[in-house]
Amino acid sequence: METSAAASPEAFLAMLAGIVGASQVLTREEDVARHVSDWRRRYPGRARAVVRPANTQEVSRVVAACAAHGVPIVPQGGNTGLVGGSTPDASGTEVVLSLSRMNAVRSVDPLDGSLTLEAGCTVLAAQEAAAAAGRLFPLSLASEGSATIGGVLSTNAGGEQVLRYGNARDLALGLEVVLPDGRILEALTALRKDNTGYDLKHLFIGGEGTLGVITAATFKLFAPPRKVATAWVAVRDPQAAVELLARLTGAVGERVTAFELIGREALSQVLAHAGPGMRNPLADAPAWAVLFDVSEASARLDPTPAVEEVLGAAMDDGLVADAVLAATGAQAHALWALREHVPEAQRLDGPSIKHDISVAVSRIPAFIAEADAALQALMPGIRICCFGHVGDGNLHYNQSKPAGMADADFLAREDAVHDAVHAIAARLQGSISAEHGIGRLKQSALLHHKPAVALDLMARIKQAVDPANLFNPGRLLPRDRLSSHQEPSR
Amino acid sequence: METSAAASPEAFLAMLAGIVGASQVLTREEDVARHVSDWRRRYPGRARAVVRPANTQEVSRVVAACAAHGVPIVPQGGNTGLVGGSTPDASGTEVVLSLSRMNAVRSVDPLDGSLTLEAGCTVLAAQEAAAAAGRLFPLSLASEGSATIGGVLSTNAGGEQVLRYGNARDLALGLEVVLPDGRILEALTALRKDNTGYDLKHLFIGGEGTLGVITAATFKLFAPPRKVATAWVAVRDPQAAVELLARLTGAVGERVTAFELIGREALSQVLAHAGPGMRNPLADAPAWAVLFDVSEASARLDPTPAVEEVLGAAMDDGLVADAVLAATGAQAHALWALREHVPEAQRLDGPSIKHDISVAVSRIPAFIAEADAALQALMPGIRICCFGHVGDGNLHYNQSKPAGMADADFLAREDAVHDAVHAIAARLQGSISAEHGIGRLKQSALLHHKPAVALDLMARIKQAVDPANLFNPGRLLPRDRLSSHQEPSR
């Protein structure tokens, strides 16, 4: 055990160097630069040091040393987050605990359908390890080449195949976690069933590094798809999109792997700032388009005729105006490129205000109608770039400025726009952060919209697991929410 | 709020009657009998009263009154549990909080694919409500006519379709919970994605009523199967069963809905105590049989040829000796009747010792080989009735006495048999309770096999949420485990 006596800053760093080696305690500006600010540079920070342990035992010893000296820790994976949850604050007191060196694939077992990885593995590496064993690791997101297993678990990342396979939470079978006092929670199980007490892994998944640091995880794997039917469909309106999803699910079951909505403004921006080969798949530019995948694991079965039947009936019933089914993998790829280009096109268009809301799937149409009306009243001419994972009830409901407005005038209204959108999501019993988390960015919205009982329970959990508030302090739950439960509870 | 002044037992009951009505506070022996003992009569108890609130507000007020007077509460659903978790102890001080009157289906939404029910609804009622909306509520277990939604969530029940659809935990989208101080946690969401802080529902799911009482829940629904291929297969050994599962999953993906192993002794007992129409489906009695379902949601697609191809190749490779595919629903039903009759046949055979272990699927063969050898060494001639959900790595690995042994001699060795079996499951990194939970029955095994760090974390959570230890005290975590974390944690 490290000593708990007070140590000078230099002595403390020497102690860390004694655990991980001097070369793995980074303090020079050029070495720490990519670790102390988020990639969007919204949260520039400073770190006491960036420490890169090589294994779980070293993580445990680093954490114990920090605990003994009251030094706060910011766990960090690929640092691809959007809410300021994985970088140090400006105080220069926090240690960044980077998992980047812990990137081993510990095991893959096709019979169990399981994959065990260290936290610093990228999502892409996980996909590749599964594919090499003839299985599918279904988590897939834009940042998968950089985002790490520890990060996607700590933020319960979603991505484009949640509809079929679930969020990161749903894919995890077991975790190994270093707790805020340095002890190791060994729960790295490949069990499909285990009812021996509270399922502790769910505290750390989506916990944003505030309750401990995930050092390894075991995931479920799936049968890889052998055929995928990809369609781009002009739908009458968002209600038609929701009804089409229900019909499709009724006809082919859980094969519906992704179901995305793309509004006219989003497609216009993509076509205005198109990458190579990007063009409108249909003759007209629809007010609303849907892009979906239906995937099939069996080489002997083809879901395409069932999909065509659903689309034909939906045309007859006026839900669908036009549709194209990709005939080749390249065509499917081109359709998906349009969808994936939306964020970049919006960036090229100019400043944007972004949301990541969710509501129950059936309330998507009401959300869009109400939010559109509220924002047009707030800022006439505002351009609404609406797209997202309708199958999950999750929209990236973003805004670009009205034609002719100055950037600064638009961004000066950002909080008012957020408030209007979040209020509607909340009134429809939705979420103000469907997949990006809270971090530092969304704390005020969290405090405003989360029920007080839930906030109190979260604070109690945090204080039970990290009583000194040393793990990612001030992220997720603001510091001032952490003493309320000391009072009598009624 | 109820007063917190001390009250006589009579005054306290009158206070409860003031909340729920005098007719819903049961104290007469004939009224409370079915509530104070488990159905196997292993845990006869006494209750201060059985209270039956009509709605969540009444639950909240009852719980607040109990909290104010320091009265412990035992939440109770259908009282179908196997581990003594839902009945009062012998002290006569505990109030049984029965959810039996809260059995409304609040809503079913085919577009969301969601179903919201009160906790006292039976599993069967949930299945029926979903079916009426053209959807599937996939939780299915032997006690579904009595087991309630609150109970299956509190115990994270499994059942026969976990392989495809998951445990109760995986099916729940949101919960409404009354906390130990009487406050209501409103988290009754149909959201598929919500990353606004710790996912609190996972504390209560599988929490065995020790952290609060679930009053309502929202579940995911699925597309109902339109075709099911059911097969009874003689396999070479358990390793062949595991390999057949991997081949089947590779060929037809997540359509494999159930995959059960039945050992020779289990089938022999079924045939010896057969119900009407039960017979061996194959010419010979195999050492090991597998029963599986492959189900298909699309009316246009038939997975049977793919299943036949897998079985043919497995025969060629020596994994499978013989197989029969059900040609009709009635035949499929007859095959499943054999599997479902195993527990009753074992009861008719005489006394039994039961286990509910799980290991990673790939370790099923090693578990069976090691446990068989250990038990034959411990008690030569012991008959091992091994069956269960191999697709989930979950075996009901049960024992019947050796021919000629007295019942009492056999049962006198029960603890030794448990210890031997649990030690092997633990050494293979398995679970000593895959789906039945801990309750009072499995506490000593929990303390023996669960890592100390996990036990400590569970105790911290319990004390954070229920500091007075009034919710199901002494179940799951023994009372004496609840003060350890007050010490410095290192």
mmCIF file of all heavy atoms in Angstrom, chain B residues 8-50:
data_model
loop_
_atom_site.group_PDB
_atom_site.id
_atom_site.type_symbol
_atom_site.label_atom_id
_atom_site.label_comp_id
_atom_site.label_asym_id
_atom_site.label_seq_id
_atom_site.Cartn_x
_atom_site.Cartn_y
_atom_site.Cartn_z
ATOM 1 N N SER B 8 -49.097 1.955 19.699
ATOM 2 C CA SER B 8 -49.340 0.580 20.134
ATOM 3 C C SER B 8 -49.562 -0.267 18.887
ATOM 4 O O SER B 8 -49.906 0.262 17.830
ATOM 5 C CB SER B 8 -50.591 0.537 21.005
ATOM 6 O OG SER B 8 -51.726 0.793 20.195
ATOM 7 N N PRO B 9 -49.383 -1.603 19.008
ATOM 8 C CA PRO B 9 -49.648 -2.461 17.842
ATOM 9 C C PRO B 9 -51.042 -2.227 17.272
ATOM 10 O O PRO B 9 -51.208 -2.159 16.062
ATOM 11 C CB PRO B 9 -49.490 -3.874 18.411
ATOM 12 C CG PRO B 9 -48.513 -3.719 19.542
ATOM 13 C CD PRO B 9 -48.803 -2.357 20.132
ATOM 14 N N GLU B 10 -52.020 -2.048 18.130
ATOM 15 C CA GLU B 10 -53.376 -1.843 17.643
ATOM 16 C C GLU B 10 -53.495 -0.514 16.902
ATOM 17 O O GLU B 10 -54.127 -0.406 15.856
ATOM 18 C CB GLU B 10 -54.389 -1.873 18.799
ATOM 19 C CG GLU B 10 -54.487 -3.227 19.506
ATOM 20 C CD GLU B 10 -53.263 -3.567 20.365
ATOM 21 O OE1 GLU B 10 -52.531 -2.616 20.762
ATOM 22 O OE2 GLU B 10 -52.997 -4.766 20.595
ATOM 23 N N ALA B 11 -52.863 0.525 17.495
ATOM 24 C CA ALA B 11 -52.935 1.846 16.864
ATOM 25 C C ALA B 11 -52.223 1.824 15.510
ATOM 26 O O ALA B 11 -52.672 2.472 14.560
ATOM 27 C CB ALA B 11 -52.311 2.902 17.769
ATOM 28 N N PHE B 12 -51.143 1.057 15.442
ATOM 29 C CA PHE B 12 -50.419 0.982 14.174
ATOM 30 C C PHE B 12 -51.283 0.318 13.093
ATOM 31 O O PHE B 12 -51.371 0.795 11.962
ATOM 32 C CB PHE B 12 -49.104 0.211 14.366
ATOM 33 C CG PHE B 12 -48.311 0.082 13.103
ATOM 34 C CD1 PHE B 12 -47.660 1.182 12.560
ATOM 35 C CD2 PHE B 12 -48.250 -1.129 12.426
ATOM 36 C CE1 PHE B 12 -46.948 1.068 11.367
ATOM 37 C CE2 PHE B 12 -47.534 -1.248 11.240
ATOM 38 C CZ PHE B 12 -46.888 -0.142 10.720
ATOM 39 N N LEU B 13 -51.931 -0.783 13.469
ATOM 40 C CA LEU B 13 -52.814 -1.442 12.497
ATOM 41 C C LEU B 13 -53.964 -0.526 12.094
ATOM 42 O O LEU B 13 -54.382 -0.505 10.924
ATOM 43 C CB LEU B 13 -53.339 -2.764 13.059
ATOM 44 C CG LEU B 13 -52.281 -3.854 13.259
ATOM 45 C CD1 LEU B 13 -52.930 -5.134 13.799
ATOM 46 C CD2 LEU B 13 -51.526 -4.152 11.962
ATOM 47 N N ALA B 14 -54.448 0.243 13.032
ATOM 48 C CA ALA B 14 -55.542 1.176 12.719
ATOM 49 C C ALA B 14 -55.046 2.241 11.734
ATOM 50 O O ALA B 14 -55.787 2.669 10.840
ATOM 51 C CB ALA B 14 -56.058 1.833 14.007
ATOM 52 N N MET B 15 -53.803 2.633 11.913
ATOM 53 C CA MET B 15 -53.234 3.613 10.985
ATOM 54 C C MET B 15 -53.166 3.028 9.572
ATOM 55 O O MET B 15 -53.523 3.681 8.590
ATOM 56 C CB MET B 15 -51.836 3.996 11.473
ATOM 57 C CG MET B 15 -51.151 5.052 10.638
ATOM 58 S SD MET B 15 -49.483 5.350 11.267
ATOM 59 C CE MET B 15 -49.868 5.877 12.941
ATOM 60 N N LEU B 16 -52.711 1.754 9.470
ATOM 61 C CA LEU B 16 -52.680 1.111 8.156
ATOM 62 C C LEU B 16 -54.090 1.003 7.579
ATOM 63 O O LEU B 16 -54.310 1.256 6.390
ATOM 64 C CB LEU B 16 -52.047 -0.285 8.254
ATOM 65 C CG LEU B 16 -50.581 -0.334 8.689
ATOM 66 C CD1 LEU B 16 -50.102 -1.793 8.719
ATOM 67 C CD2 LEU B 16 -49.689 0.491 7.766
ATOM 68 N N ALA B 17 -55.042 0.648 8.433
ATOM 69 C CA ALA B 17 -56.431 0.536 7.972
ATOM 70 C C ALA B 17 -56.937 1.887 7.474
ATOM 71 O O ALA B 17 -57.741 1.954 6.532
ATOM 72 C CB ALA B 17 -57.321 0.008 9.102
ATOM 73 N N GLY B 18 -56.452 2.955 8.082
ATOM 74 C CA GLY B 18 -56.839 4.287 7.620
ATOM 75 C C GLY B 18 -56.323 4.595 6.228
ATOM 76 O O GLY B 18 -56.877 5.437 5.519
ATOM 77 N N ILE B 19 -55.294 3.905 5.832
ATOM 78 C CA ILE B 19 -54.726 4.143 4.489
ATOM 79 C C ILE B 19 -55.388 3.252 3.449
ATOM 80 O O ILE B 19 -55.813 3.716 2.397
ATOM 81 C CB ILE B 19 -53.197 3.873 4.503
ATOM 82 C CG1 ILE B 19 -52.495 4.824 5.480
ATOM 83 C CG2 ILE B 19 -52.609 4.021 3.091
ATOM 84 C CD1 ILE B 19 -51.045 4.458 5.775
ATOM 85 N N VAL B 20 -55.482 1.957 3.734
ATOM 86 C CA VAL B 20 -55.952 1.007 2.712
ATOM 87 C C VAL B 20 -57.373 0.518 2.948
ATOM 88 O O VAL B 20 -57.931 -0.175 2.083
ATOM 89 C CB VAL B 20 -55.013 -0.231 2.621
ATOM 90 C CG1 VAL B 20 -53.605 0.189 2.226
ATOM 91 C CG2 VAL B 20 -54.995 -1.008 3.939
ATOM 92 N N GLY B 21 -57.958 0.870 4.061
ATOM 93 C CA GLY B 21 -59.273 0.325 4.409
ATOM 94 C C GLY B 21 -59.118 -0.894 5.301
ATOM 95 O O GLY B 21 -58.207 -1.700 5.106
ATOM 96 N N ALA B 22 -60.004 -1.020 6.293
ATOM 97 C CA ALA B 22 -59.861 -2.091 7.292
ATOM 98 C C ALA B 22 -59.887 -3.471 6.653
ATOM 99 O O ALA B 22 -59.196 -4.392 7.104
ATOM 100 C CB ALA B 22 -60.974 -1.966 8.341
ATOM 101 N N SER B 23 -60.670 -3.631 5.568
ATOM 102 C CA SER B 23 -60.788 -4.961 4.960
ATOM 103 C C SER B 23 -59.507 -5.388 4.257
ATOM 104 O O SER B 23 -59.371 -6.552 3.884
ATOM 105 C CB SER B 23 -61.939 -4.973 3.962
ATOM 106 O OG SER B 23 -61.657 -4.086 2.884
ATOM 107 N N GLN B 24 -58.565 -4.471 4.060
ATOM 108 C CA GLN B 24 -57.323 -4.801 3.351
ATOM 109 C C GLN B 24 -56.125 -4.928 4.294
ATOM 110 O O GLN B 24 -54.986 -4.979 3.841
ATOM 111 C CB GLN B 24 -57.042 -3.770 2.249
ATOM 112 C CG GLN B 24 -58.183 -3.620 1.257
ATOM 113 C CD GLN B 24 -58.566 -4.933 0.587
ATOM 114 O OE1 GLN B 24 -57.764 -5.865 0.517
ATOM 115 N NE2 GLN B 24 -59.813 -5.019 0.112
ATOM 116 N N VAL B 25 -56.408 -4.957 5.604
ATOM 117 C CA VAL B 25 -55.361 -5.245 6.590
ATOM 118 C C VAL B 25 -55.723 -6.598 7.204
ATOM 119 O O VAL B 25 -56.609 -6.687 8.040
ATOM 120 C CB VAL B 25 -55.271 -4.153 7.665
ATOM 121 C CG1 VAL B 25 -54.196 -4.498 8.694
ATOM 122 C CG2 VAL B 25 -54.990 -2.796 7.027
ATOM 123 N N LEU B 26 -55.055 -7.653 6.730
ATOM 124 C CA LEU B 26 -55.419 -9.010 7.129
ATOM 125 C C LEU B 26 -54.584 -9.439 8.320
ATOM 126 O O LEU B 26 -53.359 -9.282 8.317
ATOM 127 C CB LEU B 26 -55.181 -9.985 5.973
ATOM 128 C CG LEU B 26 -55.716 -9.586 4.595
ATOM 129 C CD1 LEU B 26 -55.426 -10.702 3.583
ATOM 130 C CD2 LEU B 26 -57.206 -9.283 4.656
ATOM 131 N N THR B 27 -55.262 -10.010 9.324
ATOM 132 C CA THR B 27 -54.532 -10.508 10.491
ATOM 133 C C THR B 27 -55.029 -11.884 10.936
ATOM 134 O O THR B 27 -54.322 -12.583 11.654
ATOM 135 C CB THR B 27 -54.677 -9.538 11.688
ATOM 136 O OG1 THR B 27 -56.069 -9.281 11.905
ATOM 137 C CG2 THR B 27 -53.945 -8.220 11.422
ATOM 138 N N ARG B 28 -56.236 -12.284 10.480
ATOM 139 C CA ARG B 28 -56.752 -13.585 10.939
ATOM 140 C C ARG B 28 -55.976 -14.714 10.266
ATOM 141 O O ARG B 28 -55.622 -14.634 9.087
ATOM 142 C CB ARG B 28 -58.241 -13.715 10.592
ATOM 143 C CG ARG B 28 -59.108 -12.759 11.393
ATOM 144 C CD ARG B 28 -60.575 -13.058 11.169
ATOM 145 N NE ARG B 28 -60.874 -13.119 9.731
ATOM 146 C CZ ARG B 28 -62.069 -13.456 9.245
ATOM 147 N NH1 ARG B 28 -63.061 -13.779 10.076
ATOM 148 N NH2 ARG B 28 -62.280 -13.470 7.949
ATOM 149 N N GLU B 29 -55.760 -15.781 11.035
ATOM 150 C CA GLU B 29 -54.898 -16.850 10.548
ATOM 151 C C GLU B 29 -55.329 -17.383 9.190
ATOM 152 O O GLU B 29 -54.502 -17.616 8.309
ATOM 153 C CB GLU B 29 -54.858 -17.979 11.584
ATOM 154 C CG GLU B 29 -53.733 -18.963 11.306
ATOM 155 C CD GLU B 29 -53.541 -19.947 12.456
ATOM 156 O OE1 GLU B 29 -53.781 -19.558 13.623
ATOM 157 O OE2 GLU B 29 -53.159 -21.094 12.175
ATOM 158 N N GLU B 30 -56.647 -17.579 9.011
ATOM 159 C CA GLU B 30 -57.111 -18.146 7.733
ATOM 160 C C GLU B 30 -56.905 -17.179 6.574
ATOM 161 O O GLU B 30 -56.760 -17.590 5.427
ATOM 162 C CB GLU B 30 -58.586 -18.599 7.830
ATOM 163 C CG GLU B 30 -59.571 -17.503 8.163
ATOM 164 C CD GLU B 30 -59.824 -17.356 9.668
ATOM 165 O OE1 GLU B 30 -58.855 -17.494 10.453
ATOM 166 O OE2 GLU B 30 -60.980 -17.090 10.046
ATOM 167 N N ASP B 31 -56.883 -15.880 6.880
ATOM 168 C CA ASP B 31 -56.674 -14.900 5.805
ATOM 169 C C ASP B 31 -55.198 -14.765 5.423
ATOM 170 O O ASP B 31 -54.870 -14.504 4.262
ATOM 171 C CB ASP B 31 -57.188 -13.512 6.241
ATOM 172 C CG ASP B 31 -58.695 -13.503 6.417
ATOM 173 O OD1 ASP B 31 -59.376 -14.329 5.777
ATOM 174 O OD2 ASP B 31 -59.190 -12.668 7.205
ATOM 175 N N VAL B 32 -54.323 -14.906 6.414
ATOM 176 C CA VAL B 32 -52.910 -14.657 6.139
ATOM 177 C C VAL B 32 -52.146 -15.924 5.753
ATOM 178 O O VAL B 32 -51.016 -15.842 5.284
ATOM 179 C CB VAL B 32 -52.192 -13.985 7.346
ATOM 180 C CG1 VAL B 32 -52.906 -12.691 7.732
ATOM 181 C CG2 VAL B 32 -52.076 -14.928 8.519
ATOM 182 N N ALA B 33 -52.798 -17.088 5.930
ATOM 183 C CA ALA B 33 -52.067 -18.360 5.780
ATOM 184 C C ALA B 33 -51.258 -18.430 4.482
ATOM 185 O O ALA B 33 -50.074 -18.781 4.475
ATOM 186 C CB ALA B 33 -53.037 -19.541 5.873
ATOM 187 N N ARG B 34 -51.885 -18.077 3.359
ATOM 188 C CA ARG B 34 -51.187 -18.251 2.084
ATOM 189 C C ARG B 34 -50.109 -17.193 1.855
ATOM 190 O O ARG B 34 -49.331 -17.288 0.907
ATOM 191 C CB ARG B 34 -52.174 -18.270 0.924
ATOM 192 C CG ARG B 34 -52.824 -16.933 0.627
ATOM 193 C CD ARG B 34 -53.943 -17.097 -0.410
ATOM 194 N NE ARG B 34 -54.506 -15.811 -0.771
ATOM 195 C CZ ARG B 34 -54.031 -15.039 -1.743
ATOM 196 N NH1 ARG B 34 -52.980 -15.411 -2.436
ATOM 197 N NH2 ARG B 34 -54.596 -13.872 -2.022
ATOM 198 N N HIS B 35 -50.081 -16.197 2.733
ATOM 199 C CA HIS B 35 -49.078 -15.143 2.591
ATOM 200 C C HIS B 35 -47.865 -15.332 3.501
ATOM 201 O O HIS B 35 -46.832 -14.707 3.267
ATOM 202 C CB HIS B 35 -49.690 -13.768 2.915
ATOM 203 C CG HIS B 35 -50.775 -13.350 1.975
ATOM 204 N ND1 HIS B 35 -50.528 -12.857 0.722
ATOM 205 C CD2 HIS B 35 -52.134 -13.373 2.106
ATOM 206 C CE1 HIS B 35 -51.678 -12.553 0.123
ATOM 207 N NE2 HIS B 35 -52.665 -12.865 0.931
ATOM 208 N N VAL B 36 -47.983 -16.125 4.544
ATOM 209 C CA VAL B 36 -46.921 -16.163 5.549
ATOM 210 C C VAL B 36 -45.979 -17.358 5.409
ATOM 211 O O VAL B 36 -44.988 -17.457 6.126
ATOM 212 C CB VAL B 36 -47.497 -16.110 6.984
ATOM 213 C CG1 VAL B 36 -48.253 -14.795 7.189
ATOM 214 C CG2 VAL B 36 -48.385 -17.312 7.274
ATOM 215 N N SER B 37 -46.293 -18.265 4.468
ATOM 216 C CA SER B 37 -45.383 -19.384 4.206
ATOM 217 C C SER B 37 -45.163 -19.480 2.709
ATOM 218 O O SER B 37 -46.044 -19.163 1.918
ATOM 219 C CB SER B 37 -45.996 -20.686 4.722
ATOM 220 O OG SER B 37 -45.228 -21.795 4.277
ATOM 221 N N ASP B 38 -43.950 -19.893 2.305
ATOM 222 C CA ASP B 38 -43.715 -20.157 0.884
ATOM 223 C C ASP B 38 -44.499 -21.398 0.483
ATOM 224 O O ASP B 38 -44.907 -22.201 1.337
ATOM 225 C CB ASP B 38 -42.216 -20.333 0.633
ATOM 226 C CG ASP B 38 -41.656 -21.515 1.404
ATOM 227 O OD1 ASP B 38 -41.879 -21.578 2.640
ATOM 228 O OD2 ASP B 38 -41.024 -22.379 0.804
ATOM 229 N N TRP B 39 -44.683 -21.580 -0.829
ATOM 230 C CA TRP B 39 -45.558 -22.676 -1.284
ATOM 231 C C TRP B 39 -44.959 -24.043 -1.030
ATOM 232 O O TRP B 39 -45.651 -25.034 -0.956
ATOM 233 C CB TRP B 39 -45.945 -22.486 -2.755
ATOM 234 C CG TRP B 39 -44.805 -22.518 -3.731
ATOM 235 C CD1 TRP B 39 -44.011 -21.469 -4.067
ATOM 236 C CD2 TRP B 39 -44.331 -23.632 -4.471
ATOM 237 N NE1 TRP B 39 -43.056 -21.851 -4.980
ATOM 238 C CE2 TRP B 39 -43.226 -23.178 -5.264
ATOM 239 C CE3 TRP B 39 -44.713 -24.975 -4.590
ATOM 240 C CZ2 TRP B 39 -42.518 -24.015 -6.129
ATOM 241 C CZ3 TRP B 39 -43.994 -25.798 -5.447
ATOM 242 C CH2 TRP B 39 -42.924 -25.325 -6.205
ATOM 243 N N ARG B 40 -43.628 -24.107 -0.871
ATOM 244 C CA ARG B 40 -43.019 -25.398 -0.538
ATOM 245 C C ARG B 40 -43.017 -25.652 0.972
ATOM 246 O O ARG B 40 -42.558 -26.689 1.433
ATOM 247 C CB ARG B 40 -41.593 -25.470 -1.085
ATOM 248 C CG ARG B 40 -41.565 -25.411 -2.609
ATOM 249 C CD ARG B 40 -40.283 -25.967 -3.161
ATOM 250 N NE ARG B 40 -39.116 -25.172 -2.740
ATOM 251 C CZ ARG B 40 -37.858 -25.500 -3.020
ATOM 252 N NH1 ARG B 40 -37.593 -26.601 -3.684
ATOM 253 N NH2 ARG B 40 -36.865 -24.731 -2.648
ATOM 254 N N ARG B 41 -43.489 -24.642 1.745
ATOM 255 C CA ARG B 41 -43.607 -24.741 3.209
ATOM 256 C C ARG B 41 -42.260 -24.984 3.888
ATOM 257 O O ARG B 41 -42.160 -25.671 4.898
ATOM 258 C CB ARG B 41 -44.617 -25.822 3.624
ATOM 259 C CG ARG B 41 -45.956 -25.662 2.929
ATOM 260 C CD ARG B 41 -47.144 -26.099 3.772
ATOM 261 N NE ARG B 41 -48.386 -25.634 3.150
ATOM 262 C CZ ARG B 41 -48.913 -24.435 3.360
ATOM 263 N NH1 ARG B 41 -48.340 -23.581 4.182
ATOM 264 N NH2 ARG B 41 -50.024 -24.074 2.742
ATOM 265 N N ARG B 42 -41.224 -24.424 3.304
ATOM 266 C CA ARG B 42 -39.918 -24.531 3.938
ATOM 267 C C ARG B 42 -39.687 -23.403 4.923
ATOM 268 O O ARG B 42 -38.802 -23.473 5.764
ATOM 269 C CB ARG B 42 -38.823 -24.461 2.875
ATOM 270 C CG ARG B 42 -38.733 -25.726 2.051
ATOM 271 C CD ARG B 42 -37.434 -25.743 1.300
ATOM 272 N NE ARG B 42 -37.148 -27.074 0.804
ATOM 273 C CZ ARG B 42 -35.926 -27.534 0.566
ATOM 274 N NH1 ARG B 42 -34.868 -26.761 0.794
ATOM 275 N NH2 ARG B 42 -35.735 -28.733 0.111
ATOM 276 N N TYR B 43 -40.424 -22.308 4.773
ATOM 277 C CA TYR B 43 -40.213 -21.131 5.620
ATOM 278 C C TYR B 43 -41.532 -20.671 6.240
ATOM 279 O O TYR B 43 -42.071 -19.643 5.885
ATOM 280 C CB TYR B 43 -39.605 -19.992 4.790
ATOM 281 C CG TYR B 43 -38.220 -20.308 4.297
ATOM 282 C CD1 TYR B 43 -38.015 -20.849 3.041
ATOM 283 C CD2 TYR B 43 -37.117 -20.105 5.121
ATOM 284 C CE1 TYR B 43 -36.741 -21.173 2.604
ATOM 285 C CE2 TYR B 43 -35.841 -20.423 4.693
ATOM 286 C CZ TYR B 43 -35.661 -20.955 3.433
ATOM 287 O OH TYR B 43 -34.398 -21.271 3.010
ATOM 288 N N PRO B 44 -42.078 -21.457 7.180
ATOM 289 C CA PRO B 44 -43.303 -21.003 7.835
ATOM 290 C C PRO B 44 -43.004 -19.748 8.640
ATOM 291 O O PRO B 44 -41.986 -19.664 9.325
ATOM 292 C CB PRO B 44 -43.669 -22.186 8.735
ATOM 293 C CG PRO B 44 -42.396 -22.937 8.921
ATOM 294 C CD PRO B 44 -41.572 -22.719 7.702
ATOM 295 N N GLY B 45 -43.866 -18.759 8.523
ATOM 296 C CA GLY B 45 -43.613 -17.500 9.240
ATOM 297 C C GLY B 45 -44.885 -16.938 9.846
ATOM 298 O O GLY B 45 -45.954 -17.553 9.797
ATOM 299 N N ARG B 46 -44.745 -15.777 10.467
ATOM 300 C CA ARG B 46 -45.881 -15.052 11.049
ATOM 301 C C ARG B 46 -45.756 -13.594 10.612
ATOM 302 O O ARG B 46 -44.653 -13.089 10.441
ATOM 303 C CB ARG B 46 -45.861 -15.117 12.573
ATOM 304 C CG ARG B 46 -46.147 -16.511 13.139
ATOM 305 C CD ARG B 46 -45.896 -16.542 14.638
ATOM 306 N NE ARG B 46 -46.665 -15.518 15.319
ATOM 307 C CZ ARG B 46 -46.174 -14.670 16.219
ATOM 308 N NH1 ARG B 46 -44.893 -14.712 16.543
ATOM 309 N NH2 ARG B 46 -46.949 -13.762 16.791
ATOM 310 N N ALA B 47 -46.895 -12.936 10.464
ATOM 311 C CA ALA B 47 -46.865 -11.534 10.048
ATOM 312 C C ALA B 47 -47.610 -10.678 11.047
ATOM 313 O O ALA B 47 -48.600 -11.110 11.648
ATOM 314 C CB ALA B 47 -47.494 -11.365 8.673
ATOM 315 N N ARG B 48 -47.155 -9.458 11.230
ATOM 316 C CA ARG B 48 -47.917 -8.473 12.006
ATOM 317 C C ARG B 48 -49.255 -8.234 11.295
ATOM 318 O O ARG B 48 -50.301 -8.164 11.942
ATOM 319 C CB ARG B 48 -47.126 -7.167 12.060
ATOM 320 C CG ARG B 48 -47.729 -6.074 12.887
ATOM 321 C CD ARG B 48 -46.963 -4.771 12.689
ATOM 322 N NE ARG B 48 -45.620 -4.832 13.240
ATOM 323 C CZ ARG B 48 -45.263 -4.296 14.418
ATOM 324 N NH1 ARG B 48 -46.159 -3.654 15.146
ATOM 325 N NH2 ARG B 48 -44.036 -4.386 14.837
ATOM 326 N N ALA B 49 -49.193 -8.166 9.989
ATOM 327 C CA ALA B 49 -50.404 -8.033 9.165
ATOM 328 C C ALA B 49 -49.992 -8.229 7.711
ATOM 329 O O ALA B 49 -48.832 -8.060 7.350
ATOM 330 C CB ALA B 49 -51.042 -6.649 9.322
ATOM 331 N N VAL B 50 -50.984 -8.598 6.903
ATOM 332 C CA VAL B 50 -50.815 -8.576 5.452
ATOM 333 C C VAL B 50 -51.623 -7.383 4.952
ATOM 334 O O VAL B 50 -52.837 -7.302 5.182
ATOM 335 C CB VAL B 50 -51.316 -9.877 4.805
ATOM 336 C CG1 VAL B 50 -51.240 -9.777 3.276
ATOM 337 C CG2 VAL B 50 -50.522 -11.073 5.317
#
